[in-house]
Amino acid sequence: MDGPLAAMGAHGDHPFYPLGAPVKNYVANTMGPVTLVAIFAAACGALFVPTALVAARVRPGLPFGELLVAFWFVLCGCIHLFFEGYFAYNFLDMASRMDLFGQLWKEYSLSDSRYMTQDPFVVCMETITAVFWGPLSFFCAYAVLARSPMRHPVQLIVSLGQLYGDVLYYCICWFNELLNGLAYSRPERFYYWAYFVLCNAFWIVIPLILMAQSVREISAAFSRGHKANGAVKKSQ
């Protein structure tokens, strides 16, 4: 994947699909896909250590499931605010950027060239994600550790926003492919299934689980409140 893909691509000027996609000022990556994916995965995994250390200090005895929720939101906060925020800020010249984030985005864009062509949907979607879901994800992580009463309302909002954006992301791509014959991923299935499908599926599955959790907790809280109000009225 490193050699010919890095040196030449569709029409000989870039490796992105569909053929002839308007990618301006493309500069080939100097790091290969294995290196880039390994760095990204290692950086994501490394976030678990400070999350666990802070959790042990702030809320000793935190159940492991809750620790995983806190870690998820720390991970989301970093990806949304810094990585996706980087794209939102630099979308006009992503194809020429050679820093780590720029090369990561060019590698991912082999599965979705819309990130290289200033596509209005992905630019707006990633900007909203960075501005809103990034900071609110960090708040959710804090709310888990602090047992904040705002935890589940905000967790529900953030998870719904993530789910909604991801569903639109998938559906608009599939709509264009089915109706207009536009395929944004390279023909090698690795890019489609590993990058486009798998990497984004986390923001379908996990938000659904967290939304169900928040709905249960909010419903239980209202139920307890109604019962308490009924007991007070009976005693009066």
Side-chain angles (χ1 to χ4, degrees), residues 63-175:
F64 186 67
E66 290 288 86
L67 176 60
L68 289 180
V69 173
F71 169 63
W72 165 253
F73 281 119
V74 169
L75 177 63
C76 286
C78 290
I79 291 176
H80 293 337
L81 187 60
F82 301 116
F83 187 56
E84 292 171 285
Y86 172 94
F87 170 80
Y89 186 76
N90 296 293
F91 73 92
L92 287 173
D93 63 342
M94 284 301 305
S96 66
R97 301 194 69 84
M98 295 300 292
D99 52 30
L100 177 60
F101 279 6
Q103 294 201 43
L104 279 167
W105 274 115
K106 280 188 282 184
E107 176 64 21
Y108 176 77
S109 296
L110 295 171
S111 73
D112 188 351
S113 66
R114 292 178 294 175
Y115 286 91
M116 293 293 114
T117 59
Q118 298 87 50
D119 179 85
F121 169 74
V122 297
V123 171
C124 293
M125 182 266 293
E126 295 292 6
T127 301
I128 291 170
T129 299
V131 171
F132 292 100
W133 310 144
L136 285 176
S137 290
F138 284 122
F139 175 82
C140 284
Y142 157 80
V144 171
L145 301 183
R147 295 182 178 178
S148 169
M150 288 298 296
R151 181 260 181 97
H152 285 290
V154 178
Q155 177 175 296
L156 182 60
I157 292 170
V158 172
S159 298
L160 179 59
Q162 292 172 328
L163 177 66
Y164 181 68
D166 212 16
V167 168
L168 282 180
Y169 176 72
Y170 277 134
C171 289
I172 289 175
C173 183
W174 290 334
F175 181 87

Side-chain angles (χ1 to χ4, degrees), residues 14-57:
H14 66 72
F16 308 108
Y17 270 59
L19 296 174
V23 178
K24 298 179 181 177
N25 304 317
Y26 170 70
V27 179
N29 281 350
T30 57
M31 290 186 280
V34 174
T35 301
L36 289 167
V37 171
I39 291 173
F40 185 78
C44 290
L47 292 172
F48 184 80
V49 176
T51 303
L53 291 175
V54 172
R57 184 179 182 88

